[in-house]
């Protein structure tokens, strides 16, 4: 009974919505890259790197703002490198993604030990400041207490607008659907692919920072597969901003449930709940909720 | 006044010369047809004009001014538009999105959809295109897709319109519609360049015609009042040196036993009807020719017989025979380019599990000598060989599999004359061994000289079958090839040619 | 030497040099002497029997796993699920050995090999089957299966089979443990190097023969090079793909043999420490050639063991960075070198 009441409570719902933030940012990051035709399976690595650099620079400079700027800058550089490999050299995107994930994990583990003399945790830092604007409103106040979550909600509409209503979006999507046709109309396909990847780097930076800020530190392995779940959410959401939002809500509900389970100490094994998002993804892909279709030239080096 | 002037344009890829000193003038406000066989250089010349290829030497002028195009964008900016043979459309986009891509009119950040809509509706009405701006390309018929391509050009105010084989994919009714649009273009003072290899279209629509052969201009003529010597034109296209095909058919062991039969076969792909109550039977000891414009169901027939296509309705009978196939596209379907000759043969015909180097060498040596494959290094990967040699290896592989039924799909496409003759002799050799041969081709010469029976395929249906006696009655001489006197041969052959040509595009009963 | 081998050699050596330069640069940046660090690594790995033994021990698991992946990669499909696949198989191997402790060793060992192979293989088969039937990218399904399998193993282990308050199974019978190579080569004394290493070399050679010298290997590579043509040539593309993924994923389970029968005697959560991912890099570096995999596995295990030996001076995690750099370097240099030769030909 405890469990059920805790699930239907408002705090639980608020929790679900808050936990949705990194998923949605990660999924949108992947989406902007894939809409341009570049599969980016290193969202996990991107998030990891930004969470780490945010923590390091916030602690080192004592300024959250500087940490924020540095994390974004480093992720943009990292995504530029990713673009160099996948767009300029036209390397296989999956292998490159695997390489970037290894590299990101390697860099952060190495620097953790080198800088903090610990293989698990950085010291604590303050994290992003709270936004007090909605404070007086009961639930909204707790959901919209940080800037990144608010931006995430705005992003649902922004990415829909950008992808489907603007010149940039049309051209980005054309690069992902049929780069040859786009090029024949004078669209600079490679440029748009690079933009897509850079947006991907920016949004995954926000996701990583939110996670680090949420626990007021960086710890090894803290992304814990969220980058991959974000990919899954993008696929289940059929590459559409609003659908992705609902897929992310589902995944964050699982995470919130897992947390409630651990707190309430029921018999339901946490591992099985942990497994659910991935299992559901596979089931969805097999076709339990209709066919999903990626951009036609997704993953094709151009 | 000349809208486009090419001056001594040359292009080559590696050692292969595609265009050699081509000079050509295109008058403004005219329909200019460019004719030639596959690989004659028509498309390459147009790609130069559209900024997709840069010539190695020579220059060209638009409205009297010299231009250098480094990308299609430069060409688009000069109001040149091109409809490619394979449409450049994004199938997941709507008509509207496809049309405006690259040329979006924006209102601040947002694309000005309502403004664009009204512009496009005006164009659609003016040219009677009948398109719905919100339909997805993937839901449209081929002819509607072509109209979207046309709309793209009109939206960009293109003055010079290039069409690369626009009618190849259209039905006769659609062709008529298309010609109406072309006439409307002319009324609107546009210049139209049409690449084609259909002579009757030239007669109907062209103001001037240029024939390219092997990268050179070989013939030019102005056409007034549909007056043109088609014979002369045809000869210019194929060239005088056309080698007739030596065919030595024995008829002794024709057993006439039917080995494969298709009965009332219906086949749909993406809910488009590809085969429509198809009936076909293939006998031992014959070459059955299938004649038709590409995309009328030829590939599907072949795939049903080889067993690759299983989702059809109707009855397919196979007298327990194995089928070999030489597919139409050797690079993508016929071979493993990374493997060498021996490895490609072993892959299909090797019986031993362990591939010892002696075994591979054996396969390799045998093929190279028997099929006269020319290569510098016996271990060279198949991808590095010339088209004719690749085709020989594929044919060697399929023939030596020793199956009773052989399908040849466009066996000599893009193959030089010597290899063609060799391949033809091999096809007849197999027929004489009492094998059943299905020959799919768009080369009428090849079909007429090799086939014992000939079916005309149109929209997934066999609309006419020429039995062997009827076929031979058309042929000037049973030993077609050995006649050195081209003129005599042509008269009677041409009757068949013309009849087949009409049947293929559905213009005869 | 033909051009292709030459190109491969050039690109491998250039990327190793680049990696070495980046490695030295990092060492310099943290105020150490690259030459000194390198000599410690080389001394530790090559000058002591223990170091060499440990290096070869680590290479053993990588060889198994990378050979399996190479077979999958040859059909031009990705398998990013080795980490999960090998854990599933290894877990079952440990359970079988624990629960059939009364049977004679050869039977148990064979039983372990077969059951581990089948369990890992099935988890390779499923994504391949989904790919064939539903055209769902194997990349995403193998990634998802990593999480699913690890969660499942974790669940069964902790809820049913683990020794109380540990994350491991019970120990298998002492009699089942594989012979250490130090038993007859005292040079290696103290190291965990065991006869699995010999098995790994055999697996590499057999994989090499299978891929490059047999009908199946030709079919496998033909499917990888050109699926459409393979269909027209008459190969059963789906069957070949399924076999490749079953066999490839199955082979990854042998890493568990090395760990369980050769070293610890039990299955432990996290024993694989990401070799399923490292093996991807190992296989790529070797261009999916099993003989090459022996060498790239050695390189990667030298890095790993070398990291331990310089941990005093430089955090050992630097080797993870180096591994990441190697994979990206080989990818890009290979492409650049190939482009260069293509332009010149």
């Amino acid at each position: 009974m405890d469990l059920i009441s805790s699930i239907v409570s408002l705090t639980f719902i608020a929790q679900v919505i808050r936990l949705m933030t990194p998923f949605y940012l990660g999924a949108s990051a992947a989406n902007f890259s894939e809409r341009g035709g570049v599969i980016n399976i290193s969202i996990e690595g991107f998030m990891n790197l930004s969470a780490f650099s945010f923590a390091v620079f916030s602690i080192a400079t004592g300024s959250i703002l500087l940490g924020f700027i540095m994390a974004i800058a480093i992720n943009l550089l990292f995504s530029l490198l990713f673009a160099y490999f996948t767009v300029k050299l036209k390397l296989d995107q999956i292998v490159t993604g695997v390489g970037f994930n290894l590299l990101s994990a390697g860099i952060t583990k190495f620097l953790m030990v080198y800088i903090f003399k610990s293989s698990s945790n950085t010291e604590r830092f303050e994290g992003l400041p709270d936004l007090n604007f909605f404070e007086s409103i009961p639930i909204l106040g707790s959901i919209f207490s940080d800037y990144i979550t608010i931006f995430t909600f705005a992003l649902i509409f922004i990415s829909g607008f950008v992808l489907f209503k603007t010149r940039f979006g049309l051209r980005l999507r054309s690069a992902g659907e049929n780069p040859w046709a786009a090029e024949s109309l004078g669209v600079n396909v490679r440029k748009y692919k690079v933009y897509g990847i850079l947006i991907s780097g920016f949004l995954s930076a926000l996701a990583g920072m939110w996670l680090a800020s949420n626990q007021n530190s960086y710890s090894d392995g803290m992304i814990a597969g969220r980058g991959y779940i974000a990919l899954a959410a993008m696929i289940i959401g059929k590459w559409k901003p609003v659908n992705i939002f609902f897929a992310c809500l589902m995944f964050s509900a699982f995470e919130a449930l897992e947390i409630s389970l651990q707190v309430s100490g029921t018999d339901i094994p946490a591992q099985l709940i942990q497994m659910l998002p991935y299992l559901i993804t596979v089931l969805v892909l097999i076709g339990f909720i209709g066919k999903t279709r990626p951009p036609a030239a997704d993953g094709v080096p151009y | 006044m000349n809208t486009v002037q090419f001056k001594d344009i040359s292009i080559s890829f590696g050692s292969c010369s595609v265009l050699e000193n081509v000079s050509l003038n295109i008058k403004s406000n005219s329909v200019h047809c460019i004719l030639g066989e596959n690989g004659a250089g028509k498309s390459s010349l147009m790609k130069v004009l559209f900024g997709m290829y840069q010539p190695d030497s020579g220059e060209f002028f638009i409205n009297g001014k010299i231009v250098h195009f480094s990308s299609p964008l430069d060409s688009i900016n000069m109001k040149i538009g091109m409809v490619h043979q394979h449409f450049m459309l994004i199938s997941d986009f709507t008509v509207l999105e496809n049309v405006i891509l690259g040329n979006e009119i924006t209102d601040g950040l947002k694309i000005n959809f309502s403004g664009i809509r009204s512009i496009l509706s005006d164009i659609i009405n003016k040219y009677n295109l009948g398109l719905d701006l919100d339909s997805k390309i993937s839901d449209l018929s081929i002819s509607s897709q072509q109209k979207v391509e046309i709309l793209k050009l009109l939206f960009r105010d293109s003055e010079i319109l290039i069409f690369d084989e626009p009618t190849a994919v259209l039905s006769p009714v659609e062709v008529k519609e298309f010609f109406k649009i072309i006439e409307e273009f002319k009324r609107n003072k546009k210049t139209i360049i049409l690449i084609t290899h259909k002579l009757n279209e030239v007669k109907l629509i062209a103001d001037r015609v240029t024939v390219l052969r092997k990268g050179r201009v070989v013939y030019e003529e102005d056409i007034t009042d549909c007056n043109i010597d088609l014979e002369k034109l045809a000869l210019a296209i194929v060239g005088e040196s056309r080698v007739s095909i030596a065919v030595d058919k024995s008829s002794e062991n024709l057993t006439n036993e039917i080995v494969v039969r298709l009965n009332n076969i219906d086949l749909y792909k993406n809910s488009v009807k590809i085969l429509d109550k198809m009936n076909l039977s293939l006998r031992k000891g014959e070459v059955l020719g299938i004649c038709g414009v590409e995309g009328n169901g030829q590939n599907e027939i072949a795939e049903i017989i080889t067993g690759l296509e299983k989702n059809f309705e109707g009855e397919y009978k196979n007298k327990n025979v194995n089928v070999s196939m030489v597919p139409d596209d050797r690079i993508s379907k016929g071979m493993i380019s990374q493997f060498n000759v021996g490895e490609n043969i072993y892959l299909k015909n090797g019986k031993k599990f362990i591939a010892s180097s002696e075994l591979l060498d054996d396969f390799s040596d045998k093929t190279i000598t028997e099929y006269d494959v020319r290569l510098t290094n016996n271990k060279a990967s198949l991808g590095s060989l010339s088209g004719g040699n690749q085709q020989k290896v594929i044919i060697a592989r399929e023939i030596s599999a020793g199956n009773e039924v052989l399908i040849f799909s466009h066996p000599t496409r893009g193959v030089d004359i010597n290899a063609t003759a060799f391949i033809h002799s091999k096809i007849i050799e197999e027929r004489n061994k009492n094998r059943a041969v299905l020959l799919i081709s768009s080369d009428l010469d090849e079909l007429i000289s090799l086939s014992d029976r000939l079916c005309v395929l149109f929209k997934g249906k066999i609309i006419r079958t020429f039995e062997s006696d009827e076929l031979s009655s058309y042929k000037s001489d049973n030993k077609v090839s050995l006649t050195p006197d081209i003129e005599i041969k042509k008269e009677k052959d041409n009757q068949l040619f013309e009849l087949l040509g009409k049947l293929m595009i559905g213009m005869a009963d | 030497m033909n051009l292709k081998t030459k190109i491969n050699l050039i690109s491998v050596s250039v990327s190793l040099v680049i990696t070495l330069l980046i490695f030295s640069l990092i060492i310099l940046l943290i105020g150490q002497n690259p030459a000194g660090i390198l000599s410690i690594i080389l001394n530790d790995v090559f000058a002591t029997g223990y170091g060499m033994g440990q290096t070869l021990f680590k290479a053993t698991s990588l060889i198994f796993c990378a050979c399996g992946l190479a077979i999958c990669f040859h059909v031009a499909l990705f398998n990013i699920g080795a980490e999960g696949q090998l854990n599933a198989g290894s877990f079952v191997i440990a359970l079988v050995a624990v629960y059939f402790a009364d049977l004679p060793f050869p039977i148990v060992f064979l039983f372990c090999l077969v059951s581990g192979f089948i369990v890992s293989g099935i988890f390779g088969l499923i994504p391949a089957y989904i790919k064939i039937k539903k055209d769902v990218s194997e990349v995403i399904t193998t990634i998802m299966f990593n999480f699913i399998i690890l969660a499942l193993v974790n669940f069964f282990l902790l809820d049913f089979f683990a020794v109380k308050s540990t994350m491991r199974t019970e120990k298998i019978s002492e009699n089942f443990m594989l012979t250490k190579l130090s038993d007859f080569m005292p040079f290696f004394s103290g190291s965990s190097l065991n006869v699995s290493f010999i098995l790994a070399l055999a697996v590499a050679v057999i994989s090499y023969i299978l891929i490059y010298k047999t009908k199946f290997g030709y079919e496998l590579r033909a499917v990888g090079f050109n699926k459409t043509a393979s269909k027209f040539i008459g190969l059963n593309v789906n069957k070949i793909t399924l076999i490749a993924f079953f066999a490839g994923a199955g082979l990854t389970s042998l890493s568990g043999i090395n760990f369980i029968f050769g070293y610890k005697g039990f299955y432990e959560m996290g024993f694989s420490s990401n070799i399923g991912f490292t093996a991807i890099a190992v296989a790529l570096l070797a261009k999916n050639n099993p003989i090459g995999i022996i060498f790239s596995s050695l390189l990667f295990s030298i890095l790993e063991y070398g990291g331990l030996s310089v941990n005093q001076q430089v955090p050992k995690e630097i080797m993870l960075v180096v591994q990441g750099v190697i994979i990206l370097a080989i990818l890009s240099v290979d492409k650049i070198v190939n482009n260069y030769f293509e332009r010149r030909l």
Side-chain angles (χ1 to χ4, degrees), chain A residues 35 161 164-167 169-171 173-174 177-178 180-187 293 296, chain B residues 50 72-73 76 88-90 92-93 97-98 100-104 106 109-111 113 152 156:
Chain A
R35 281 290 188 172
F161 178 79
F164 299 104
K165 301 289 179 203
T166 67
R167 170 188 300 188
L170 187 75
R171 294 185 174 189
R173 286 187 294 132
S174 75
E177 292 284 350
N178 187 342
W180 303 276
E183 200 78 58
S184 80
L185 295 171
V187 174
R293 198 196 69 87
Chain B
F50 195 56
L73 195 59
I76 293 168
M88 291 285 192
L89 294 171
I90 295 172
D92 200 50
F93 276 19
E97 288 176 322
N98 265 289
I100 64 172
L101 178 63
N103 213 27
E104 308 84 353
T106 53
L109 277 177
K110 194 170 174 289
I111 295 174
F113 285 109
K152 269 159 77 173
R156 286 164 177 73

Side-chain angles (χ1 to χ4, degrees), chain A residues 127-150:
Chain A
L128 291 163
D130 282 350
L131 172 73
N132 301 322
F133 188 73
F134 297 100
E135 208 173 18
S136 49
I137 313 165
I139 304 151
L140 279 182
S142 63
I143 298 171
F144 291 130
S145 66
D146 71 86
Y147 292 98
I148 292 184
T149 300
I150 292 177

Side-chain angles (χ1 to χ4, degrees), chain B residues 217-228:
Chain B
V217 175
V218 291
Y219 186 85
E220 278 191 288
E221 189 182 348
D222 281 312
I223 303 167
T224 40
D225 302 325
C226 302
N227 230 331
I228 184 166

Side-chain angles (χ1 to χ4, degrees), chain B residues 303 308 325 327 331-336 338-339 343-344 346-348 350 352-355 360 397-398, chain C residues 4 209-210 212-223 225-226 228-235:
Chain B
E303 284 168 25
L308 289 172
M325 175 171 178
I331 307 276
S332 72
K333 299 182 190 166
M335 62 189 202
I336 308 297
Q338 293 88 342
F339 285 175
E343 292 170 328
N344 264 283
Y346 170 76
L347 184 62
K348 183 172 181 117
K352 291 196 179 121
F353 186 70
I354 298 291
L360 292 176
R397 184 189 66 211
E398 296 304 320
Chain C
K4 226 174 141 194
I209 293 172
L210 182 78
Y212 295 103
K213 302 286 174 199
T214 68
K215 186 86 193 271
F216 179 74
Y218 272 100
E219 292 177 346
L220 188 76
R221 288 182 293 138
V223 171
F225 285 136
N226 188 340
T228 315
S230 300
K231 264 183 205 157
F232 276 92
I233 289 167
L235 305 183

Side-chain angles (χ1 to χ4, degrees), chain A residues 39-49 74-86 89 91-108 197 228, chain C residues 281 284 320-321 323-325 327-329 331-332:
Chain A
I39 297 177
N40 186 352
I41 65 162
S42 48
I43 297 295
E44 179 90 3
F46 278 57
M47 285 163 74
N48 177 52
L49 193 65
I74 287 171
N75 252 34
L76 288 182
L77 276 178
F78 206 56
S79 32
L80 213 52
L81 194 64
F82 186 79
Y84 176 77
F85 280 114
T86 52
L89 292 181
L91 296 180
D92 188 287
Q93 296 162 7
I94 307 295
V95 181
T96 309
V98 171
F100 270 71
N101 279 335
L102 282 178
L103 190 63
S104 163
I107 291 174
T108 55
I197 296 169
Y228 294 115
Chain C
L284 279 175
L320 295 172
V321 181
Q323 289 180 359
V325 170
I327 179 172
L328 293 176
L331 279 173
S332 48

Side-chain angles (χ1 to χ4, degrees), chain B residues 317-366:
Chain B
K317 274 193 190 162
N318 175 331
K319 264 204 160 167
N320 229 348
V321 287
N322 291 319
V323 183
S324 276
M325 175 171 178
V326 176
D328 55 337
D329 182 344
R330 62 178 159 270
I331 307 276
S332 72
K333 299 182 190 166
M335 62 189 202
I336 308 297
S337 327
Q338 293 88 342
F339 285 175
N340 63 34
V341 176
E343 292 170 328
N344 264 283
I345 307 280
Y346 170 76
L347 184 62
K348 183 172 181 117
N349 300 334
K351 297 278 182 288
K352 291 196 179 121
F353 186 70
I354 298 291
S356 64
S357 46
E358 296 87 59
L359 186 67
L360 292 176
D361 288 347
D362 221 39
F363 275 125
S364 174
D365 295 345
K366 234 168 116 188

Side-chain angles (χ1 to χ4, degrees), chain C residues 279-293:
Chain C
I280 297 176
V282 169
L284 279 175
L285 187 61
K287 297 281 176 93
N288 300 327
N289 178 329
I291 302 298
I293 283 174

